[in-house]
Amino acid sequence: MAGICEGRVAIVTGAARGIGRGHALEFAHQGAKVVVNDIGAALDGTGRSDSPARQVVDEIVAAGGAAVVNGDDVADWEGARQLVRTALDTFGRLDVVVNNAGFVRDRMFVSCGEGEWDAVMRVHLKGHFAVARFAAEHWRERAKAGDAVDARIVNTSSGAGLLGSVGQSAYSAAKAGIATLTLVQAAELGRYGVTANAIAPSARTRMTETVFADTMAAPGDPGAFDAMAAENVAPLVVWLGSPQSAHVTGRVFEVEGGRVSVADGWQHGPAVDKGARWDPAELGPVVDDLLAKAPAPAPVYGAQ
């Protein structure tokens, strides 16, 4: 039986390990040709090696699929352009971009340095922007030429981006930016046949297995369902990359183990309109009343 992505071509960034590796393998299993993008960096983003990505490609090819390694830096403007070009030159088309690449440089806010902040923003937020930007340009050109485009962007936010996370100010801010970027992409690109959605995954990866060691631990029973296994995230991402998801756009999904939920983002809440300019001294009881009517915010991860 053909998979749900038969004949499609997908780029997966950060696809050599963890969650990205699971995406690449499942896309291939479901019939897609895959561009396995990864620079092979360490957890903090330093160093380079194509060996991890090559291993994923070899595994796909050994199983009868089609894949190619790409080692371009997603946050480099020309590298992002070349990544999209790799898909087009190798497989003749591009249908899906899964933005997954990232790393962590955790610091308490008051200790975070400029270089750490810039590095996290560059890889996560600019990396998501740059790759999707060149893919969208290609899809727009196809749509304007009269081709039927049925394309997908799947971005990777985080619970840290939706709720905040103590010790991860840069990471949280970047992931929040990715969630909002997804909404804008969905609003702007729908006319060209492109949907944009995001996931906020929870799984055992190099980023989480040490910081959240207890939560991410594998079950003691080898036969038990490993809810934190990285590959559990892939089914939703592959479905979002398939033709079956054409009616879904501008959404953020939380996924953990076998659990999938739709994140409910910022909404317009209770309001008071005086019809005139407020005096600052008036606003204390007004704000207190609004807060009493509004739902309590979800707690920041790691807050006491």
Side-chain angles (χ1 to χ4, degrees):
M1 184 175 67
I4 65 170
C5 288
E6 194 70 35
R8 290 170 79 76
V9 174
I11 289 172
V12 181
T13 73
R17 304 180 178 94
I19 291 174
R21 177 180 181 275
H23 296 341
L25 294 176
E26 188 60 33
F27 267 109
H29 180 67
Q30 294 295 329
K33 299 177 177 66
V34 186
V35 180
V36 178
N37 164 264
D38 206 292
I39 65 171
L43 180 58
D44 65 356
T46 60
R48 295 183 76 108
S49 171
D50 68 354
S51 295
R54 174 64 58 191
Q55 291 172 10
V56 176
V57 168
D58 289 346
E59 187 171 345
I60 290 172
V61 171
V68 63
V69 171
N70 174 275
D72 286 303
D73 179 352
V74 296
D76 177 82
W77 194 245
E78 291 305 315
R81 188 199 305 269
Q82 183 56 39
L83 171 53
V84 171
R85 179 51 53 190
T86 296
L88 299 175
D89 289 347
T90 305
F91 299 122
R93 61 183 295 126
L94 175 62
D95 304 284
V96 185
V97 167
V98 179
N99 284 311
N100 170 76
F103 62 81
V104 291
R105 301 239 181 122
D106 291 349
R107 288 286 187 274
M108 298 299 285
F109 175 72
V110 74
S111 302
C112 184
E114 180 183 18
E116 293 165 326
W117 179 275
D118 289 347
V120 172
M121 288 293 172
R122 178 185 181 277
V123 171
H124 287 277
L125 193 52
K126 185 182 177 183
H128 271 60
F129 158 67
V131 177
R133 157 65 173 75
F134 287 109
E137 182 178 60
H138 166 70
W139 291 325
R140 182 182 63 178
E141 290 173 355
R142 283 185 51 203
K144 287 186 173 182
D147 294 341
V149 176
D150 187 27
R152 307 284 182 267
I153 298 170
V154 185
N155 294 324
T156 306
S157 183
S158 168
L162 305 181
L163 303 177
S165 179
V166 171
Q168 294 188 312
S169 57
Y171 180 79
S172 296
K175 289 302 192 182
I178 287 167
T180 307
L181 174 64
T182 303
L183 305 183
V184 177
Q185 289 171 333
E188 292 186 358
L189 300 178
R191 72 192 71 179
Y192 305 122
V194 182
T195 70
N197 294 284
I199 62 163
S202 181
R204 186 171 54 254
T205 69
R206 292 191 299 169
M207 292 187 188
T208 63
E209 63 184 354
T210 300
V211 178
F212 306 107
D214 292 340
T215 303
M216 295 298 162
D221 180 0
F225 174 53
D226 184 359
M228 291 297 107
E231 57 266 26
N232 294 332
V233 180
L236 175 63
V237 170
V238 172
W239 182 83
L240 288 170
S242 77
Q244 296 182 10
S245 68
H247 61 293
V248 179
T249 195
R251 296 289 190 160
V252 179
F253 296 89
E254 294 184 272
V255 54
E256 175 183 323
R259 182 176 183 272
V260 176
S261 64
V262 180
D264 185 15
W266 293 105
Q267 302 284 343
H268 295 297
V272 174
D273 185 356
K274 179 181 177 180
R277 186 174 184 269
W278 291 96
D279 183 280
E282 295 180 285
L283 283 166
V286 172
V287 171
D288 288 343
D289 183 61
L290 290 175
L291 293 177
K293 294 174 180 176
V300 172
Y301 285 117
Q304 301 298 318

